[in-house]
Amino acid sequence: MAHDIRALDPGAVTLAATPIGDSADASARFIAALAQADVIAAEDTRRLLALASRLDVTPSGRLLALHDHNEADRASRLVDEAERGGRVLLVSDAGMPTVSDPGYRVVREAVVRGVPVTSIPGPSAALAALAVSGLPSDRFSFEGFLPRKDGEARRALDALARDPRTMIFFESPKRLHETLERMAGAFGPDRRAVVCRELTKTHEEVLRGTLADLVAATADGVLGEITVVVAGWRGTRDPADHVDAVLALADEGMRLKDAAADVARATGLRTNDLYAAVLARRAGG
């Protein structure tokens, strides 16, 4: 049985997910929203018009470019439009706005001013990559793009080395090989990982293996949109092996219980188990 498509909310800011590769993944609600919106803020207006043409829909509202360089200035303007009762639609080039894409400042401005914010969900490169990776998906973190500078990127990876959650990264094809080398250095060459290239597109490719395998597989370079999924740390689960880390934090002035909680977050262990192991160590001298 057919259902009526929900109309775009007036007086609200709506975030809409766009296809990450295959135009056929556009939802009926997204297509309807393009025709209903009074203002459409797009990361690249030309790409949006090209997508609308493929979807056989003509945007009726004003188009406004919204990118990293002008979002701070245009956030208030867009929220003003919604406050006047306008239907404001935010889209990025691919996937959901605000997820490694513009839109966050607009949402924050709307929240501060009490303007409703809603979404039209849809394609997500991060979740699509996680789903096909074959790596644990019960707990995961989205890390986005690593810093461009070598030292900052290495420090970011070192901080994640003992994170037990599956990690999702975006990366450019030009930097992929170098990033995988850094990951192998920080996480160890035997850590399992997956490189997803051109998801949902004609030349979709999923490379699985250890980080060492993927470093070798990308030595000659790759093309396309890239998402990297890396297995979380699966080190020892014995709380006694992490007592020194808790005591080191306590020696720096942190309360013992807080130190145990901090190490528990990094290792996936239970705070109470770590705390008990520390007390047992101290009791034993």
Side-chain angles (χ1 to χ4, degrees):
M1 183 175 69
H3 296 277
D4 292 335
I5 296 175
R6 174 183 166 186
L8 201 61
D9 294 338
V13 174
T14 301
L15 312 178
T18 54
I20 60 175
D22 192 331
S23 299
D25 292 335
S27 71
R29 281 188 64 202
F30 170 66
I31 295 172
L34 288 177
Q36 296 169 3
D38 299 306
V39 178
I40 303 174
E43 187 176 6
D44 186 326
T45 56
R46 291 171 299 181
R47 291 188 65 169
L48 175 64
L49 288 172
L51 173 61
S53 177
R54 292 195 296 273
L55 298 175
D56 195 26
V57 59
T58 301
S60 59
R62 303 191 312 277
L63 294 184
L64 185 70
L66 184 77
H67 46 71
D68 290 337
H69 302 296
N70 69 8
E71 185 180 356
D73 295 329
R74 295 192 168 175
S76 291
R77 178 178 169 185
L78 289 165
V79 177
D80 287 344
E81 184 75 29
E83 277 191 324
R84 291 192 292 267
R87 294 167 295 189
V88 177
L89 183 68
L90 264 62
V91 300
S92 60
D93 287 345
M96 180 64 75
T98 77
V99 182
S100 286
D101 279 328
Y104 170 77
R105 291 182 179 90
V106 179
V107 173
R108 286 301 309 158
E109 181 76 12
V111 170
V112 168
R113 290 163 57 176
V115 172
V117 180
T118 186
S119 69
I120 298 175
S124 165
L127 294 181
L130 176 65
V132 304
S133 70
L135 297 176
S137 58
D138 54 336
R139 297 183 65 210
F140 62 90
S141 67
F142 174 67
E143 303 299 330
F145 287 95
L146 287 168
R148 288 177 177 270
K149 294 183 178 179
D150 180 67
E152 294 178 2
R154 291 184 186 278
R155 282 193 293 274
L157 291 171
D158 286 342
L160 295 169
R162 291 199 170 190
D163 192 324
R165 299 171 297 177
T166 299
M167 295 166 281
I168 306 168
F169 300 85
F170 287 162
E171 192 50 280
S172 76
K174 292 182 179 179
R175 294 193 300 269
L176 176 63
H177 180 69
E178 186 177 26
T179 291
L180 291 171
E181 288 182 322
R182 292 188 186 118
M183 288 178 172
F187 302 154
D190 293 331
R191 182 81 68 95
R192 304 295 298 180
V194 178
V195 171
C196 299
R197 189 180 72 84
E198 296 288 85
L199 284 171
T200 78
K201 299 179 183 177
T202 302
H203 300 292
E204 176 178 309
E205 182 179 30
V206 179
L207 302 174
R208 300 181 175 87
T210 64
L211 284 169
D213 295 333
L214 296 176
V215 168
T218 59
D220 295 329
V222 296
L223 298 174
E225 301 288 333
I226 305 294
T227 305
V228 181
V229 186
V230 183
W233 182 64
R234 291 293 181 267
T236 174
R237 309 299 292 176
D238 187 349
D241 292 333
H242 301 280
V243 167
D244 289 338
V246 176
L247 293 176
L249 291 175
D251 289 342
E252 294 175 0
M254 187 178 291
R255 290 178 60 250
L256 192 60
K257 193 75 173 182
D258 292 338
D262 192 75
V263 174
R265 282 191 294 271
T267 60
L269 294 168
R270 296 178 63 242
T271 299
N272 288 343
D273 292 342
L274 275 170
Y275 188 65
V278 172
L279 295 182
R281 168 82 70 84
R282 286 184 167 179

